[in-house]
Short mmCIF file of all heavy atoms in Angstrom, two decimals:
data_model
loop_
_atom_site.label_atom_id
_atom_site.label_comp_id
_atom_site.label_asym_id
_atom_site.label_seq_id
_atom_site.Cartn_x
_atom_site.Cartn_y
_atom_site.Cartn_z
N LEU A 194 0.32 -0.66 5.21
CA LEU A 194 -0.89 -1.13 5.75
C LEU A 194 -1.75 0.06 6.11
O LEU A 194 -1.30 1.05 6.87
CB LEU A 194 -0.70 -2.05 6.92
CG LEU A 194 -1.92 -2.42 7.68
CD1 LEU A 194 -2.77 -3.45 6.92
CD2 LEU A 194 -1.54 -3.16 8.99
N ASP A 195 -3.01 0.07 5.56
CA ASP A 195 -3.92 1.22 5.95
C ASP A 195 -5.27 0.68 6.27
O ASP A 195 -5.80 -0.24 5.57
CB ASP A 195 -4.06 2.12 4.65
CG ASP A 195 -4.87 3.36 4.99
OD1 ASP A 195 -4.93 3.70 6.24
OD2 ASP A 195 -5.43 3.88 4.13
N GLU A 196 -5.84 1.05 7.41
CA GLU A 196 -7.10 0.65 7.88
C GLU A 196 -8.14 1.80 7.54
O GLU A 196 -7.87 2.94 7.76
CB GLU A 196 -7.11 0.32 9.29
CG GLU A 196 -8.40 -0.17 9.85
CD GLU A 196 -8.32 -0.64 11.37
OE1 GLU A 196 -8.56 0.35 12.04
OE2 GLU A 196 -7.95 -1.69 11.74
N PHE A 197 -9.25 1.41 7.02
CA PHE A 197 -10.36 2.40 6.64
C PHE A 197 -11.70 1.91 7.06
O PHE A 197 -11.85 0.60 7.29
CB PHE A 197 -10.25 2.77 5.22
CG PHE A 197 -10.44 1.56 4.24
CD1 PHE A 197 -11.75 1.19 3.85
CD2 PHE A 197 -9.40 0.76 3.95
CE1 PHE A 197 -11.93 0.18 2.97
CE2 PHE A 197 -9.56 -0.36 3.03
CZ PHE A 197 -10.81 -0.62 2.59
N ALA A 198 -12.67 2.79 7.20
CA ALA A 198 -14.01 2.52 7.60
C ALA A 198 -14.91 2.34 6.40
O ALA A 198 -14.97 3.21 5.60
CB ALA A 198 -14.50 3.47 8.61
N ILE A 199 -15.60 1.18 6.32
CA ILE A 199 -16.64 1.08 5.37
C ILE A 199 -17.96 1.74 5.85
O ILE A 199 -18.63 2.45 5.11
CB ILE A 199 -16.96 -0.43 5.03
CG1 ILE A 199 -15.65 -1.07 4.50
CG2 ILE A 199 -18.07 -0.57 3.99
CD1 ILE A 199 -15.77 -2.54 4.15
N ARG A 200 -18.24 1.50 7.16
CA ARG A 200 -19.29 2.16 7.83
C ARG A 200 -18.74 2.53 9.17
O ARG A 200 -18.52 1.60 10.00
CB ARG A 200 -20.55 1.35 7.94
CG ARG A 200 -21.74 1.95 8.55
CD ARG A 200 -22.86 1.09 8.67
NE ARG A 200 -24.02 1.70 9.29
CZ ARG A 200 -25.09 1.07 9.81
NH1 ARG A 200 -25.25 -0.21 9.62
NH2 ARG A 200 -26.08 1.68 10.42
N LYS A 201 -18.58 3.77 9.47
CA LYS A 201 -17.87 4.15 10.64
C LYS A 201 -18.49 3.75 11.90
O LYS A 201 -19.78 3.85 12.07
CB LYS A 201 -17.64 5.69 10.72
CG LYS A 201 -16.70 6.23 11.76
CD LYS A 201 -16.50 7.74 11.55
CE LYS A 201 -15.69 7.95 10.29
NZ LYS A 201 -15.27 9.34 10.13
N GLY A 202 -17.76 2.99 12.74
CA GLY A 202 -18.28 2.46 14.03
C GLY A 202 -18.83 1.05 13.89
O GLY A 202 -19.13 0.51 14.97
N HIS A 203 -18.90 0.56 12.69
CA HIS A 203 -19.58 -0.72 12.49
C HIS A 203 -18.72 -1.74 11.68
O HIS A 203 -18.54 -2.80 12.08
CB HIS A 203 -21.00 -0.55 11.87
CG HIS A 203 -21.98 0.31 12.65
ND1 HIS A 203 -22.76 -0.31 13.60
CD2 HIS A 203 -22.25 1.60 12.69
CE1 HIS A 203 -23.52 0.66 14.14
NE2 HIS A 203 -23.21 1.77 13.62
N CYS A 204 -18.32 -1.24 10.52
CA CYS A 204 -17.59 -2.17 9.60
C CYS A 204 -16.25 -1.51 9.14
O CYS A 204 -16.34 -0.31 8.60
CB CYS A 204 -18.48 -2.44 8.36
SG CYS A 204 -17.84 -3.60 7.23
N TYR A 205 -15.19 -2.29 9.30
CA TYR A 205 -13.87 -1.77 8.86
C TYR A 205 -13.21 -2.76 7.98
O TYR A 205 -13.53 -3.87 7.82
CB TYR A 205 -13.00 -1.56 10.16
CG TYR A 205 -13.44 -0.40 10.95
CD1 TYR A 205 -14.43 -0.59 11.96
CD2 TYR A 205 -12.88 0.86 10.82
CE1 TYR A 205 -14.87 0.52 12.73
CE2 TYR A 205 -13.21 1.91 11.60
CZ TYR A 205 -14.33 1.70 12.57
OH TYR A 205 -14.72 2.76 13.40
N ALA A 206 -12.18 -2.25 7.27
CA ALA A 206 -11.42 -3.11 6.35
C ALA A 206 -9.98 -2.51 6.33
O ALA A 206 -9.72 -1.40 6.92
CB ALA A 206 -11.96 -3.21 5.00
N PHE A 207 -9.01 -3.24 5.80
CA PHE A 207 -7.63 -2.82 5.61
C PHE A 207 -7.19 -3.10 4.34
O PHE A 207 -7.65 -4.00 3.59
CB PHE A 207 -6.69 -3.33 6.71
CG PHE A 207 -6.55 -4.89 6.74
CD1 PHE A 207 -5.71 -5.54 5.91
CD2 PHE A 207 -7.49 -5.55 7.53
CE1 PHE A 207 -5.70 -6.91 5.92
CE2 PHE A 207 -7.46 -6.99 7.54
CZ PHE A 207 -6.47 -7.71 6.76
N ALA A 208 -6.09 -2.33 3.83
CA ALA A 208 -5.59 -2.49 2.48
C ALA A 208 -4.00 -2.56 2.57
O ALA A 208 -3.42 -1.86 3.43
CB ALA A 208 -6.03 -1.36 1.55
N LEU A 209 -3.52 -3.32 1.63
CA LEU A 209 -2.03 -3.36 1.47
C LEU A 209 -1.62 -2.68 0.13
O LEU A 209 -2.10 -3.13 -0.87
CB LEU A 209 -1.55 -4.85 1.48
CG LEU A 209 -1.64 -5.57 2.83
CD1 LEU A 209 -1.28 -7.06 2.58
CD2 LEU A 209 -0.83 -4.95 3.87
N MET A 210 -0.79 -1.71 0.25
CA MET A 210 -0.63 -0.81 -0.87
C MET A 210 1.00 -0.71 -1.05
O MET A 210 1.75 -0.59 -0.17
CB MET A 210 -1.12 0.59 -0.76
CG MET A 210 -1.07 1.48 -1.90
SD MET A 210 -1.52 3.19 -1.63
CE MET A 210 -0.28 3.83 -0.52
N ASP A 211 1.32 -0.68 -2.33
CA ASP A 211 2.76 -0.42 -2.78
C ASP A 211 3.05 1.08 -2.63
O ASP A 211 2.38 1.82 -3.42
CB ASP A 211 3.04 -0.97 -4.11
CG ASP A 211 4.53 -0.85 -4.57
OD1 ASP A 211 5.28 -0.15 -3.85
OD2 ASP A 211 4.87 -1.32 -5.51
N PRO A 212 3.89 1.61 -1.74
CA PRO A 212 4.04 2.92 -1.60
C PRO A 212 4.81 3.63 -2.81
O PRO A 212 4.66 4.86 -2.99
CB PRO A 212 4.88 3.07 -0.28
CG PRO A 212 5.63 1.80 -0.25
CD PRO A 212 4.66 0.73 -0.80
N THR A 213 5.44 2.77 -3.66
CA THR A 213 6.15 3.36 -4.75
C THR A 213 5.17 3.66 -6.00
O THR A 213 5.24 4.73 -6.52
CB THR A 213 7.23 2.41 -5.16
OG1 THR A 213 8.07 2.13 -4.18
CG2 THR A 213 8.06 2.97 -6.42
N THR A 214 4.35 2.66 -6.27
CA THR A 214 3.42 2.82 -7.45
C THR A 214 2.04 3.23 -7.10
O THR A 214 1.30 3.69 -7.92
CB THR A 214 3.36 1.50 -8.24
OG1 THR A 214 2.81 0.46 -7.32
CG2 THR A 214 4.72 1.08 -8.67
N GLY A 215 1.69 3.03 -5.79
CA GLY A 215 0.31 3.34 -5.43
C GLY A 215 -0.71 2.23 -5.66
O GLY A 215 -1.87 2.36 -5.43
N HIS A 216 -0.18 1.10 -6.17
CA HIS A 216 -1.07 -0.03 -6.49
C HIS A 216 -1.58 -0.70 -5.19
O HIS A 216 -0.74 -1.03 -4.28
CB HIS A 216 -0.37 -1.03 -7.41
CG HIS A 216 -1.19 -2.19 -7.69
ND1 HIS A 216 -2.32 -2.12 -8.61
CD2 HIS A 216 -1.19 -3.50 -7.35
CE1 HIS A 216 -2.81 -3.35 -8.68
NE2 HIS A 216 -2.21 -4.18 -7.93
N ILE A 217 -2.80 -1.04 -5.06
CA ILE A 217 -3.35 -1.76 -3.92
C ILE A 217 -3.32 -3.32 -4.26
O ILE A 217 -4.05 -3.75 -5.21
CB ILE A 217 -4.74 -1.31 -3.57
CG1 ILE A 217 -4.67 0.18 -3.24
CG2 ILE A 217 -5.42 -2.06 -2.42
CD1 ILE A 217 -6.06 0.84 -2.94
N TRP A 218 -2.61 -4.09 -3.52
CA TRP A 218 -2.40 -5.44 -3.79
C TRP A 218 -3.47 -6.36 -3.15
O TRP A 218 -3.77 -7.42 -3.64
CB TRP A 218 -0.99 -5.96 -3.36
CG TRP A 218 0.11 -5.48 -4.30
CD1 TRP A 218 0.92 -4.34 -4.19
CD2 TRP A 218 0.48 -6.06 -5.50
NE1 TRP A 218 1.74 -4.27 -5.19
CE2 TRP A 218 1.53 -5.30 -6.02
CE3 TRP A 218 0.01 -7.19 -6.25
CZ2 TRP A 218 2.13 -5.64 -7.30
CZ3 TRP A 218 0.62 -7.52 -7.46
CH2 TRP A 218 1.70 -6.72 -7.94
N GLN A 219 -3.95 -5.93 -2.07
CA GLN A 219 -4.89 -6.82 -1.30
C GLN A 219 -5.77 -5.85 -0.30
O GLN A 219 -5.26 -5.03 0.26
CB GLN A 219 -4.18 -7.90 -0.53
CG GLN A 219 -5.05 -8.83 0.31
CD GLN A 219 -4.24 -9.89 0.99
OE1 GLN A 219 -3.33 -10.46 0.43
NE2 GLN A 219 -4.63 -10.26 2.18
N THR A 220 -6.99 -6.31 -0.29
CA THR A 220 -7.96 -5.66 0.71
C THR A 220 -8.70 -6.85 1.35
O THR A 220 -9.07 -7.87 0.86
CB THR A 220 -8.96 -4.76 0.05
OG1 THR A 220 -9.70 -5.42 -0.96
CG2 THR A 220 -8.24 -3.53 -0.65
N SER A 221 -8.96 -6.59 2.70
CA SER A 221 -9.64 -7.58 3.52
C SER A 221 -10.50 -6.91 4.52
O SER A 221 -10.16 -5.83 5.01
CB SER A 221 -8.68 -8.52 4.19
OG SER A 221 -7.86 -9.31 3.31
N GLU A 222 -11.62 -7.56 4.75
CA GLU A 222 -12.58 -6.96 5.73
C GLU A 222 -12.20 -7.24 7.16
O GLU A 222 -11.76 -8.36 7.41
CB GLU A 222 -14.00 -7.34 5.38
CG GLU A 222 -15.06 -6.64 6.23
CD GLU A 222 -16.46 -6.96 5.77
OE1 GLU A 222 -16.63 -7.54 4.68
OE2 GLU A 222 -17.43 -6.67 6.50
N GLY A 223 -12.34 -6.36 8.12
CA GLY A 223 -12.01 -6.64 9.45
C GLY A 223 -11.06 -5.60 9.97
O GLY A 223 -10.45 -4.84 9.24
N LYS A 224 -10.92 -5.54 11.29
CA LYS A 224 -9.96 -4.57 11.90
C LYS A 224 -8.61 -5.29 12.17
O LYS A 224 -8.54 -6.47 12.36
CB LYS A 224 -10.48 -4.03 13.21
CG LYS A 224 -11.75 -3.11 13.02
CD LYS A 224 -12.06 -2.36 14.31
CE LYS A 224 -11.00 -1.29 14.51
NZ LYS A 224 -11.43 -0.43 15.58
N VAL A 225 -7.46 -4.50 12.14
CA VAL A 225 -6.23 -5.05 12.52
C VAL A 225 -6.00 -4.82 13.93
O VAL A 225 -5.87 -3.76 14.50
CB VAL A 225 -5.14 -4.27 11.70
CG1 VAL A 225 -3.74 -4.82 12.04
CG2 VAL A 225 -5.37 -4.38 10.27
N GLU A 226 -6.07 -5.90 14.76
CA GLU A 226 -6.03 -5.85 16.19
C GLU A 226 -4.59 -5.50 16.60
O GLU A 226 -4.46 -4.75 17.61
CB GLU A 226 -6.51 -7.18 16.80
CG GLU A 226 -7.94 -7.59 16.47
CD GLU A 226 -8.97 -6.59 17.01
OE1 GLU A 226 -8.55 -5.96 18.00
OE2 GLU A 226 -9.99 -6.63 16.53
N ASN A 227 -3.55 -5.93 15.97
CA ASN A 227 -2.22 -5.76 16.39
C ASN A 227 -1.41 -5.43 15.14
O ASN A 227 -0.91 -6.15 14.45
CB ASN A 227 -1.61 -6.98 17.05
CG ASN A 227 -0.23 -6.69 17.58
OD1 ASN A 227 0.28 -5.54 17.46
ND2 ASN A 227 0.31 -7.60 18.36
N PRO A 228 -1.33 -4.01 14.80
CA PRO A 228 -0.69 -3.64 13.53
C PRO A 228 0.88 -3.97 13.55
O PRO A 228 1.41 -3.97 12.49
CB PRO A 228 -0.93 -2.14 13.57
CG PRO A 228 -2.01 -1.83 14.51
CD PRO A 228 -1.88 -2.93 15.48
N SER A 229 1.40 -4.25 14.73
CA SER A 229 2.88 -4.52 14.74
C SER A 229 3.11 -6.00 14.23
O SER A 229 4.28 -6.32 13.93
CB SER A 229 3.39 -4.37 16.12
OG SER A 229 2.81 -5.31 17.05
N ARG A 230 2.10 -6.87 14.15
CA ARG A 230 2.32 -8.16 13.56
C ARG A 230 1.59 -8.31 12.22
O ARG A 230 0.54 -8.14 12.04
CB ARG A 230 1.58 -9.18 14.55
CG ARG A 230 2.36 -9.41 15.88
CD ARG A 230 1.68 -10.60 16.64
NE ARG A 230 1.63 -11.77 15.82
CZ ARG A 230 2.58 -12.62 15.69
NH1 ARG A 230 3.75 -12.40 16.14
NH2 ARG A 230 2.50 -13.70 14.91
N MET A 231 2.56 -8.44 11.17
CA MET A 231 2.02 -8.50 9.86
C MET A 231 2.48 -9.77 9.18
O MET A 231 2.37 -10.05 7.98
CB MET A 231 2.61 -7.39 8.97
CG MET A 231 2.14 -5.98 9.40
SD MET A 231 2.79 -4.76 8.31
CE MET A 231 2.09 -5.28 6.70
N ASP A 232 2.93 -10.80 9.98
CA ASP A 232 3.39 -12.08 9.41
C ASP A 232 2.24 -13.00 9.02
O ASP A 232 2.39 -14.03 8.47
CB ASP A 232 4.29 -12.77 10.31
CG ASP A 232 3.67 -13.00 11.71
OD1 ASP A 232 2.68 -12.35 12.05
OD2 ASP A 232 4.15 -13.85 12.53
N TYR A 233 0.92 -12.60 9.34
CA TYR A 233 -0.13 -13.44 9.01
C TYR A 233 -0.77 -13.01 7.62
O TYR A 233 -1.65 -13.70 7.17
CB TYR A 233 -1.26 -13.41 10.06
CG TYR A 233 -1.72 -12.04 10.48
CD1 TYR A 233 -2.63 -11.31 9.81
CD2 TYR A 233 -1.14 -11.39 11.55
CE1 TYR A 233 -3.13 -10.06 10.03
CE2 TYR A 233 -1.58 -10.15 11.96
CZ TYR A 233 -2.57 -9.50 11.17
OH TYR A 233 -2.97 -8.23 11.57
N PHE A 234 -0.26 -12.03 7.00
CA PHE A 234 -0.75 -11.61 5.69
C PHE A 234 -0.01 -12.44 4.64
O PHE A 234 1.17 -12.69 4.61
CB PHE A 234 -0.50 -10.11 5.45
CG PHE A 234 -1.25 -9.21 6.33
CD1 PHE A 234 -0.52 -8.45 7.24
CD2 PHE A 234 -2.65 -9.15 6.15
CE1 PHE A 234 -1.33 -7.59 8.02
CE2 PHE A 234 -3.41 -8.26 7.01
CZ PHE A 234 -2.72 -7.50 7.92
N THR A 235 -0.78 -12.78 3.62
CA THR A 235 -0.22 -13.45 2.43
C THR A 235 -0.76 -12.78 1.17
O THR A 235 -1.84 -12.28 1.18
CB THR A 235 -0.56 -15.02 2.39
OG1 THR A 235 -1.98 -15.11 2.42
CG2 THR A 235 0.10 -15.70 3.57
N ILE A 236 0.05 -12.82 0.17
CA ILE A 236 -0.33 -12.10 -1.10
C ILE A 236 0.29 -13.06 -2.25
O ILE A 236 1.32 -13.49 -2.11
CB ILE A 236 0.13 -10.65 -1.12
CG1 ILE A 236 -0.64 -9.97 -2.29
CG2 ILE A 236 1.62 -10.53 -1.19
CD1 ILE A 236 -0.44 -8.43 -2.17
N HIS A 237 -0.41 -13.01 -3.38
CA HIS A 237 0.00 -13.84 -4.47
C HIS A 237 0.67 -13.00 -5.49
O HIS A 237 0.30 -11.89 -5.88
CB HIS A 237 -1.31 -14.48 -5.11
CG HIS A 237 -1.92 -15.45 -4.28
ND1 HIS A 237 -1.59 -16.76 -4.25
CD2 HIS A 237 -3.02 -15.34 -3.31
CE1 HIS A 237 -2.28 -17.48 -3.41
NE2 HIS A 237 -3.13 -16.55 -2.79
N PHE A 238 1.87 -13.45 -5.92
CA PHE A 238 2.68 -12.80 -6.97
C PHE A 238 3.06 -13.93 -7.98
O PHE A 238 3.68 -14.85 -7.77
CB PHE A 238 3.89 -12.23 -6.48
CG PHE A 238 3.71 -11.05 -5.50
CD1 PHE A 238 4.39 -11.07 -4.29
CD2 PHE A 238 2.94 -10.07 -5.75
CE1 PHE A 238 4.27 -10.07 -3.37
CE2 PHE A 238 2.73 -9.08 -4.86
CZ PHE A 238 3.42 -9.01 -3.61
N ASP A 239 2.49 -13.73 -9.27
CA ASP A 239 2.96 -14.58 -10.39
C ASP A 239 2.83 -16.12 -10.09
O ASP A 239 3.90 -16.77 -10.12
CB ASP A 239 4.32 -14.25 -10.82
CG ASP A 239 4.49 -12.82 -11.23
OD1 ASP A 239 3.44 -12.26 -11.72
OD2 ASP A 239 5.49 -12.16 -11.07
N ASN A 240 1.68 -16.59 -9.69
CA ASN A 240 1.43 -17.97 -9.41
C ASN A 240 2.22 -18.56 -8.25
O ASN A 240 2.32 -19.75 -8.12
CB ASN A 240 1.79 -18.75 -10.66
CG ASN A 240 0.95 -18.41 -11.78
OD1 ASN A 240 -0.27 -18.02 -11.58
ND2 ASN A 240 1.45 -18.38 -13.00
#
């Protein structure tokens, strides 16, 4: 999980990346308020 700024101080987003291949599976706008909780993320694999 990596959080980045689209416009610093105003607009943020986060991305989910495979550390092995470097492929980014999902990006969403907004800040991660509690990075220790990741059970609310969902991602689609093969239907």
Side-chain angles (χ1 to χ4, degrees):
L194 173 67
D195 185 25
E196 187 179 84
F197 58 94
I199 299 176
R200 185 183 176 194
K201 193 171 291 185
H203 298 273
C204 185
Y205 291 85
F207 59 87
L209 292 173
M210 183 185 75
D211 185 347
T213 303
T214 64
H216 179 73
I217 299 176
W218 285 97
Q219 179 176 320
T220 58
S221 297
E222 190 173 343
K224 294 195 69 172
V225 180
E226 300 296 338
N227 189 354
S229 64
R230 288 185 54 81
M231 293 184 60
D232 54 343
Y233 53 85
F234 292 113
T235 58
I236 192 166
H237 292 273
F238 296 131
D239 301 329
N240 299 324

